[in-house]
Amino acid sequence: MKNRLLVFIFCMALCLLILPTKVNVYATISTSAKGMVVLEGNTNTILYENNCHEKLPMASTTKLVTAILAIESCENLDEKFVVSDKAVGIEGTSIYLKEGESLSMRELLYGLILASGNDCAVAIAERLGGEDVFVEKMNGFALSLGLQNTHFDNPHGLDSDTHYTSAYDLAVMTSYALNNDFFVELIGTKRMVIEPTGVYQARYLKNKDKLLFTNENCIGGKTGFTDNAGRCLVNVHEENNMKIISVVFNCQPMFDECQRLTDLAIKEYMMKEFIAPYNFVSNVEIMESEKSEVGVITVKGFLQPILKSEEHMYEVKYDIPTNLTAPIRLNEEVGLVQVLKNNEVIYEDKLITIEGAENNDIKYLIDNILDKWF
């Protein structure tokens, strides 16, 4: 009996080893970065990753979050105000803000992103309630997106024990920010001049993301560096209907690595619209009505980046009845659409009618009148 039991356990273990396992839709690939992700920003789909959920210091890439929150919080980006004295003399990269100097939020944002001014980050935070309040808002922002591996201690990214994010979290926060037109304009600006203020000379700013100058489809990004975080980069590239967000942390060849990852994504992936929103599917025959048929449409669309090599694995199926019996309401659910990969459902949604159809059956009409009046 004991020998039989041992044989049974051995066979079960062997079966577990040889059974196929479900694989991720994205690939874990080698990288020189300590943490990395390539995210398609229209759908927030991971294309490639390596250690993408580890909590890591992110240096000045922090300022992408500072920027979007400032943009959303400020009613007038061009209103001039005197910057807080707390922003003067901040360590690290700076645009050398001076005591009593007046600038607009827009000018500070350009100084924040293009020159990576730590003093701009503090000036922005102080303007919008104070640094503590602003940092609290930054942490609330990350939580509102469902991100659990992020905590901010400051608006600029200087090293702190509990100032961290993950490559994935930062990519998702960047994806959110890309819905704002001025944010896109900001990170994609190559050069900008802040005119003399009367307290300080003109400031000539240049974007630190080298890929913005070498790749015509790069729409911008943000660099970062501290001794603890290493070289960090968030880069956004738009091509073939894909918004490719590459994030690398602690990566010495950060520009080369982001370009390599972007090129790989363009080579291997395609954007596939499986289902168009509010798209006509077919007409369905109607019984017991003056109308002979009603149209059926989709509701939501389903757009997804997929590996070009796997396109043949996908299938769209429509489940629609051959006929319907009146009465039929407008927008009534009458069918189902599914997207399958290797016969496994990965998405489904309802199909609805684009018009109603009354029932012309005499018995139905009489019963309906009785229901309404008695």
Side-chain angles (χ1 to χ4, degrees):
M1 177 66 70
K2 183 177 180 181
N3 289 337
R4 288 182 178 178
L5 180 61
L6 289 173
V7 170
F8 174 78
I9 293 173
F10 173 79
C11 291
M12 289 299 294
L14 184 62
C15 287
L16 289 174
L17 288 173
I18 63 176
L19 281 173
T21 56
K22 187 177 179 179
V23 297
N24 292 323
V25 296
Y26 55 86
T28 299
I29 62 174
S30 61
T31 179
S32 55
K34 188 172 183 180
M36 174 275 285
V37 74
V38 179
L39 193 79
E40 199 291 305
N42 295 302
T43 60
N44 281 0
T45 302
I46 296 176
L47 307 184
Y48 307 108
E49 70 86 30
N50 194 309
N51 205 27
C52 76
H53 296 297
E54 182 177 350
K55 299 172 181 177
L56 294 169
M58 63 292 204
S60 285
T61 58
T62 297
K63 290 165 181 158
L64 292 171
V65 177
T66 302
I68 186 58
L69 292 182
I71 293 168
E72 292 186 340
S73 301
C74 189
E75 292 183 2
N76 183 1
L77 293 176
D78 295 307
E79 180 184 359
K80 299 278 186 176
F81 60 91
V82 177
V83 300
S84 170
D85 291 347
K86 294 180 180 180
V88 177
I90 299 298
E91 66 174 296
T93 51
S94 168
I95 67 166
Y96 307 104
L97 291 175
K98 301 301 179 183
E99 185 177 349
E101 189 169 19
S102 292
L103 290 168
S104 69
M105 184 64 73
R106 189 183 302 274
E107 290 170 324
L108 288 171
L109 284 166
Y110 280 112
L112 177 80
I113 296 300
L114 274 66
S116 200
N118 293 338
D119 51 354
C120 294
V122 174
I124 288 168
E126 287 296 316
R127 176 65 172 175
L128 298 173
E131 194 167 347
D132 290 343
V133 171
F134 190 81
V135 169
E136 185 178 343
K137 187 172 184 178
M138 294 172 75
N139 286 313
F141 169 68
L143 290 175
S144 73
L145 296 178
L147 305 174
Q148 302 296 320
N149 295 316
T150 295
H151 187 270
F152 298 103
D153 285 342
N154 59 66
H156 39 65
L158 290 175
D159 290 332
S160 175
D161 289 342
T162 52
H163 188 86
Y164 56 78
T165 188
S166 68
Y168 172 78
D169 282 14
L170 187 53
V172 171
M173 289 186 281
T174 302
S175 173
Y176 169 90
L178 291 171
N179 292 308
N180 184 284
D181 290 341
F182 177 62
F183 179 87
V184 175
E185 177 186 330
L186 177 65
I187 66 169
T189 299
K190 295 179 179 179
R191 294 180 176 85
M192 187 268 184
V193 179
I194 299 177
E195 298 297 334
T197 61
V199 178
Y200 196 73
Q201 63 195 18
R203 296 169 168 97
Y204 296 88
L205 312 179
K206 181 180 178 182
N207 201 308
K208 295 178 180 291
D209 185 357
K210 293 181 181 179
L211 299 182
L212 189 60
F213 296 88
T214 60
N215 193 316
E216 64 179 3
N217 291 312
C218 175
I219 64 173
K222 183 72 190 78
T223 61
F225 174 80
T226 65
D227 290 339
N228 188 37
R231 288 162 64 83
C232 303
L233 177 63
V234 178
N235 185 72
V236 186
H237 181 103
E238 200 161 24
E239 189 171 346
N240 297 340
N241 298 318
M242 293 190 294
K243 199 173 290 180
I244 301 167
I245 303 170
S246 301
V247 179
V248 294
F249 288 160
N250 201 342
C251 179
Q252 183 62 29
M254 60 180 184
F255 296 115
D256 291 340
E257 182 65 351
C258 273
Q259 188 62 64
R260 180 184 77 88
L261 293 168
T262 298
D263 291 342
L264 188 63
I266 294 168
K267 177 183 177 182
E268 295 191 338
Y269 280 88
M270 61 181 289
M271 184 62 81
K272 178 78 171 179
E273 185 177 41
F274 291 97
I275 304 167
Y278 298 104
N279 187 56
F280 178 80
V281 177
S282 72
N283 287 311
V284 177
E285 182 183 1
I286 299 297
M287 311 296 290
E288 301 181 8
S289 174
E290 291 181 357
K291 292 183 179 180
S292 60
E293 59 187 18
V294 296
V296 174
I297 62 170
T298 60
V299 181
K300 299 176 183 177
F302 182 60
L303 187 72
Q304 192 75 12
I306 64 170
L307 287 165
K308 295 175 183 178
S309 60
E310 294 184 353
E311 186 178 10
H312 66 283
M313 299 179 182
Y314 293 86
E315 179 184 7
V316 180
K317 282 188 175 181
Y318 294 92
D319 182 10
I320 308 172
T322 55
N323 57 69
L324 296 167
T325 301
I328 298 295
R329 300 184 308 275
L330 170 68
N331 296 332
E332 182 172 341
E333 181 179 346
V334 294
L336 185 72
V337 58
Q338 295 179 325
V339 179
L340 300 88
K341 181 182 180 183
N342 286 335
N343 296 317
E344 180 180 353
V345 177
I346 62 171
Y347 175 86
E348 67 178 26
D349 194 26
K350 62 185 178 182
L351 300 172
I352 61 172
T353 57
I354 57 173
E355 57 183 330
E358 295 296 330
N359 190 309
N360 62 2
D361 180 73
I362 295 299
K363 182 178 183 305
Y364 172 81
L365 293 174
I366 293 173
D367 288 344
N368 193 36
I369 292 170
L370 293 174
D371 285 342
K372 289 182 178 179
W373 291 94
F374 296 98

